Amino acid sequence: MTQSSFEFDDLIRCAKGEMFGEGNAQLPLPPMLMFDRIERIAKDGGKFSKGEMVAELLIKPDLWFFGCHFEGDPVMPGCLGLDAMWQLVGFYLGWSGGKGHGRALGVGDVKFSGQVLPDNKKITYQVDIKRIIMRKLTMGIADAQMSVDGKIIYEAKDLRVGLFTNTQALSE
């Protein structure tokens, strides 16, 4: 696929399984979809010259997690920012032609140095692909950063996502 940016409607098509073919990588539907658009996706560039993605989420004070995390002290859960990074690596695998359903496999190191509050304006994700394996195992490894209003607040190293044609075997 050569498309290099994706708007919200494109992301919803992906979430419904209409982008990469039946049984292949999908994004979650809202409210778990943690970005509004992919501004740039490329097979080259990035910190390791092996590919990169830039995505964004516009912050609205009525986002679902602010109402429950925490009452009187609303803040975006850190795990949702981390999940967004995994979502993006999985999308990259599907965009690159990988087959199967995406599953997060782990992360080497995570650092949180800030927070997302209802009065913030925009989250930006920068994902730098380190390695793509497309053999019997399809897996992507990447480093990523999450910024809010231009300030880096989350950093993740060695995010790992795999694509699996048989997800039932993961439960056995």
Side-chain angles (χ1 to χ4, degrees), residues 59-77 116-120:
I59 302 298
K60 300 169 205 81
D62 64 347
L63 285 169
W64 68 273
F65 46 80
F66 288 135
C68 59
H69 189 269
F70 299 95
E71 188 171 345
D73 180 24
V75 62
M76 177 179 167
V116 178
L117 301 172
D119 61 348
N120 288 124

Side-chain angles (χ1 to χ4, degrees), residues 1 14-15 17 31 43 45 48-49 72 74 112 117 125 130 138 140 152 162:
M1 180 171 273
C14 180
K43 288 196 179 200
F48 307 101
S49 300
F112 299 123
L117 301 172
Y125 303 97
K130 293 174 95 168
T138 299
I152 297 170

